[in-house]
Amino acid sequence: MSDAVHLSLADDIALITIDNPPVNVASRAVRAGLMMALDRAEAAGVARVVLTGAGKTFVAGADAKEFSAPPRPPHLPDIANRIESFPVPVVAAINGAALGGGLELALACAARVAAPRATLGLPEVTLGVVPGAGGTQRLPRLVGLEQALSLIPEGRVIGAAEALRIGLVDAMTDDPVAAARILALPDRPATGARPAPACDPVAIEAARKQAARRSPQQIAPQRAIDLIEAAVRLSLAEGLALERQNFLDLKTGDQAAALRYVFFAERAAMGQGKAQGADVRSAVVVGGGTMGAGIAYALAGIGVTVTLVETDAAAVERARANIARLFDDAVKRGKASAERAASDMERLFTFRAGYDDLPPVDIAIEAVFEDLSIKRQVFAALDAALPETAILATNTSYLDPDRITEGLRNPTRFLGLHFFSPAHVMKLVEVIRARDTGPETLVTALRLAARLRKIPVLAGVCDGFIGNRILTRYRQCCDVMLIEGALPAQIDAAMRGFGLAMGPYEVQDLSGLDIAYANRKRLGWKTMPGFRYIPIADRIVEETGRLGRKTGAGWYDHTGGKAVSSALIDGIVVEESARAGIVRRRFTDAEIVARATAAMVEEGFRILGERIAERAADIDLVMIHGYGFPRWRGGPMHWAGRVGLSEILRRIEGYAAEDPLSWSVPDLLARAAAEGKTPEEL
């Protein structure tokens, strides 16, 4: 036997246990071990086989690390077929997660028993592929077409109780192995031998529309629907062959490569600090507005007691109302009962006006207005009110943490925690190393992020850190295209066509034009030497007062919940072109996308070269989780690697020749292209 699979024989039963920590992925060693175990069980003449997993997982899927290599036998479909045709019943004792290939093994079994904590699903589409070991053919035969369409194209994972309700498992018990040994087997054919489900064109078309809405431009969800539809009309053997071919075709494609890359990048980021640092049990949050309330609510969600500090009694009441609103929303969404929400708010929250008599907490997080002097006043007060062991964190989006920290007694306990709004929903947090941030402070912050189920990305100090710095460059590039001939709606449509959830001007209308306006004033863009200043956005704020959705108009007119192109704004754009002596020209959508993405990549390489980010993957995670870059493209740096850094270099060199004030080639990009390296290899 192999170390990854154990076999024990007793009472005429073979117990096969998959033991490949941490999550029992079906690696080649596991597959080989399973084949050997099945051979030995058959040779022993047992009356039943029980298949289970060691620890808290049954099988969490195939080994995604193997997807980029040619498949090596034994293949998972062969094992599933062997299980289904085994001379005696094989019963799956699903002790924990049975996902992807794990569920496909269970589907091939004669019956399935699940622990109450077990989760089941075929989430392959989230990695850009389809099930490849029978999932799209056996699941519809077992639970019906409608249920298969709700699970596979969405990559949905369900609990054991729902799996029992829809017939995916036969029993649910605290000891699935013991139950699997004695389970009375139902009198029914093997899953694959069951009749094909009846065709339902309405359900199939509804699933296609749902997949197009949820996963626009992604290939795998639509292919999964194709395969489920094929299960209606093809024999099992034909369906399995078609499924396998689709799996093999997709796993080498750009989308699958990008989604695997992001998956492993997320795992690496979330693994930081898990085994290090101290646990945060109590916190002060300064500022009870949208951001501060979201941070406080997220902390309370993991059991951290929170003291929320505001400036006066009226502000305290507004903060209390903001927190109450978040609890009310959770009740409306079915995430908590009204009784639990009321209890948690009473038990976990304290509200204070001012800094007198603050409790000796583990961490204090500031979330006030982006003004250096105000933030320094906050930290001076926190420094005086809290023990020297308390971590002090700023949520600043742009300001220099090293200037904020000046004057603190112990600057080693200070760092930036840049949450994204809404903080209780968004998964990203930039963890900013200030000049004096100590290692214990850093790992404790990373541990806290892991407990919050956030994706923490380490960043150094610069204006805007990683995400806002790239966003600023991206917007500046788009503004140049405006003055040269494009219009806001065209740029937004082109970027949505590329896969972003919203274009740059739609995003500004959502966040407010005053935010970017204040940042441009702070940076002095209008008088900055060697910089191409585009006055369009400043004119909109200064002359029209249009600040976006909150004023009913910004780059667009907002009426009846819809954004409509504005003749006034388009007129300002054309007027500024004439004022600059520019003859406007037509931009294609492809040219808009090429320029805008090149600007992101250009700034990303500068950030890497300055060591603001340690890895290209960190930049990609920030842009995906903070700014809506399409996950299935892998982030701007990974995408640049797939396009080819030589091609990206060629584009930027061409742009720089036309507009040297806006473009130049980062040294690191030129070097990487010359050496034939990808961004991940830097």
Side-chain angles (χ1 to χ4, degrees):
M1 290 311 307
S2 75
D3 292 337
V5 178
H6 309 305
L7 172 69
S8 64
L9 303 170
D11 302 324
D12 213 21
I13 293 174
L15 175 63
I16 299 176
T17 304
I18 299 168
D19 187 7
N20 184 28
V23 291
N24 294 342
V25 295
S27 64
R28 183 171 183 271
V30 166
R31 300 194 303 272
L34 282 172
M35 278 299 199
M36 292 172 60
L38 290 167
D39 287 344
R40 286 186 56 186
E42 184 175 6
V46 297
R48 175 176 296 199
V49 175
V50 173
L51 178 65
T52 193
K56 297 181 179 180
T57 307
F58 179 70
V59 176
D63 189 347
K65 293 178 181 176
E66 296 181 357
F67 283 11
S68 56
R72 299 173 63 195
H75 306 299
L76 201 61
D78 299 332
I79 297 168
N81 292 339
R82 176 85 194 280
I83 288 172
E84 192 165 64
S85 61
F86 205 67
V88 299
V90 180
V91 180
I94 303 173
N95 55 305
L99 304 176
L103 182 55
E104 289 179 299
L105 291 175
L107 285 169
C109 291
R112 289 151 292 282
V113 182
R117 67 172 180 274
T119 54
L120 303 91
L122 295 168
E124 283 88 347
V125 294
T126 64
L127 291 178
V129 295
V130 293
T136 66
Q137 304 303 298
R138 290 191 176 96
L139 187 66
R141 286 173 164 84
L142 182 63
V143 301
L145 188 72
E146 187 174 348
Q147 292 292 346
L149 287 169
S150 81
L151 289 171
I152 301 175
E154 295 182 18
R156 193 160 65 88
V157 175
I158 61 176
E162 184 177 353
L164 181 64
R165 179 180 62 79
I166 67 174
L168 180 51
V169 300
D170 300 283
M172 185 172 69
T173 176
D174 289 332
D175 190 344
V177 171
R181 288 176 173 274
I182 61 173
L183 181 72
L185 295 174
D187 184 15
R188 66 190 184 199
T191 305
R194 290 187 171 202
C199 184
D200 187 343
V202 174
I204 291 169
E205 182 58 26
R208 291 198 186 282
K209 290 179 178 177
Q210 173 78 344
R213 284 193 300 269
R214 287 174 54 91
S215 309
Q217 301 189 54
Q218 293 190 47
I219 301 169
Q222 296 291 348
R223 289 280 189 92
I225 296 170
D226 292 343
L227 291 166
I228 295 169
E229 184 179 23
V232 171
R233 54 184 174 78
L234 298 181
S235 69
L236 179 69
E238 291 171 326
L240 291 176
L242 182 63
E243 178 194 72
R244 185 64 177 172
Q245 187 58 56
N246 272 269
F247 169 79
L248 293 174
D249 289 346
L250 288 173
K251 83 181 183 78
T252 57
D254 284 346
Q255 290 192 7
L259 289 165
R260 284 198 304 273
Y261 163 79
V262 175
F263 172 76
F264 287 115
E266 288 171 341
R267 279 187 24 177
M270 294 179 76
Q272 299 176 102
K274 274 191 174 180
Q276 304 176 65
D279 264 345
V280 169
R281 300 296 179 190
S282 56
V284 161
V285 175
V286 182
T290 301
M291 178 60 79
I295 294 170
Y297 180 78
L299 291 167
I302 59 170
V304 174
T305 57
V306 179
T307 301
L308 205 157
V309 176
E310 263 293 358
T311 53
D312 53 36
V316 164
E317 289 311 307
R318 289 194 295 270
R320 191 189 304 272
N322 286 338
I323 296 294
R325 193 176 301 113
L326 293 174
F327 277 109
D328 289 344
D329 288 345
V331 173
K332 290 175 183 176
R333 296 195 318 272
K335 300 294 184 182
S337 67
E339 295 77 14
R340 175 64 183 272
S343 171
D344 284 354
M345 186 162 177
E346 179 68 26
R347 179 173 58 91
L348 296 170
F349 279 94
T350 303
F351 297 86
R352 296 278 177 85
Y355 301 89
D356 294 339
D357 302 320
L358 290 182
V361 297
D362 300 320
I363 191 169
I365 302 174
E366 162 274 312
V368 302
F369 187 69
E370 284 286 273
D371 181 278
L372 180 61
S373 63
I374 294 174
K375 290 184 184 290
R376 294 184 71 174
Q377 290 171 24
V378 167
F379 281 102
L382 290 172
D383 196 28
L386 296 176
E388 198 171 331
T389 54
I391 291 174
L392 302 179
T394 176
N395 183 57
T396 184
S397 302
Y398 288 99
L399 300 179
D400 184 347
D402 292 330
R403 294 195 63 193
I404 296 173
T405 192
E406 289 172 2
L408 294 185
R409 286 177 293 166
N410 179 13
T412 64
R413 62 182 173 138
F414 176 87
L415 80 165
L417 286 178
H418 179 214
F419 290 84
F420 286 70
S421 185
H424 62 292
V425 175
M426 296 290 279
K427 295 185 70 174
L428 178 68
V429 58
E430 287 179 313
V431 180
I432 314 301
R433 292 184 303 259
R435 178 180 54 238
D436 299 313
T437 300
E440 186 65 22
T441 298
L442 203 59
V443 294
T444 297
L446 291 169
R447 186 181 182 92
L448 175 62
R451 288 177 58 206
L452 288 168
R453 301 185 67 80
K454 303 289 187 188
I455 295 173
V457 173
L458 285 171
V461 173
C462 69
D463 199 279
F465 313 123
I466 296 173
N468 279 332
R469 178 169 162 179
I470 292 177
L471 179 65
T472 299
R473 175 70 183 101
Y474 163 54
R475 286 176 172 172
Q476 189 261 344
C477 169
C478 291
D479 286 351
V480 170
M481 286 191 282
L482 280 187
I483 205 168
E484 290 185 347
L487 290 173
Q490 184 193 5
I491 291 177
D492 284 343
M495 296 314 296
R496 288 196 308 273
F498 178 72
L500 271 70
M502 301 174 75
Y505 302 107
E506 293 169 311
V507 171
Q508 284 189 53
D509 268 10
L510 181 62
S511 60
L513 275 68
D514 50 330
I515 296 174
Y517 174 77
N519 192 47
R520 290 190 296 272
K521 291 295 182 186
R522 180 179 60 84
L523 295 172
W525 276 19
K526 191 171 185 178
T527 58
M528 185 182 294
F531 178 80
R532 188 175 182 185
Y533 168 68
I534 308 297
I536 296 169
D538 286 350
R539 277 194 62 189
I540 293 172
V541 174
E542 294 168 353
E543 297 178 14
T544 73
R546 296 163 59 109
L547 302 180
R549 292 188 186 183
K550 59 188 173 185
T551 60
W555 289 97
Y556 295 89
D557 295 330
H558 296 274
T559 55
K562 291 186 177 180
V564 180
S565 293
S566 167
L568 173 64
I569 298 304
D570 289 352
I572 290 175
V573 170
V574 173
E575 187 178 306
E576 281 301 319
S577 299
R579 183 177 296 180
I582 294 172
V583 177
R584 292 177 64 79
R585 68 177 182 84
R586 181 178 176 273
F587 278 81
T588 65
D589 286 358
E591 187 177 2
I592 289 169
V593 168
R595 284 187 177 236
T597 50
M600 295 183 199
V601 174
E602 178 197 48
E603 199 65 25
F605 269 95
R606 296 194 196 286
I607 287 168
L608 271 184
E610 296 167 21
R611 303 298 293 273
I612 300 301
E614 293 294 328
R615 302 173 302 170
D618 292 337
I619 296 170
D620 289 330
L621 290 178
V622 168
M623 296 308 295
I624 289 168
H625 288 285
Y627 301 89
F629 196 94
R631 181 185 183 89
W632 51 272
R633 291 194 186 275
M637 304 302 284
H638 174 85
W639 172 82
R642 298 293 287 193
V643 171
L645 294 189
S646 295
E647 169 60 19
I648 298 295
L649 175 63
R650 185 194 65 77
R651 294 179 189 179
I652 294 177
E653 286 175 336
Y655 302 148
E658 296 174 4
D659 183 3
L661 289 181
S662 299
W663 296 90
S664 63
V665 174
D667 292 341
L668 185 60
L669 170 59
R671 190 160 68 248
E675 295 174 0
K677 291 184 176 179
T678 66
E680 293 96 301
E681 293 171 332
L682 295 176

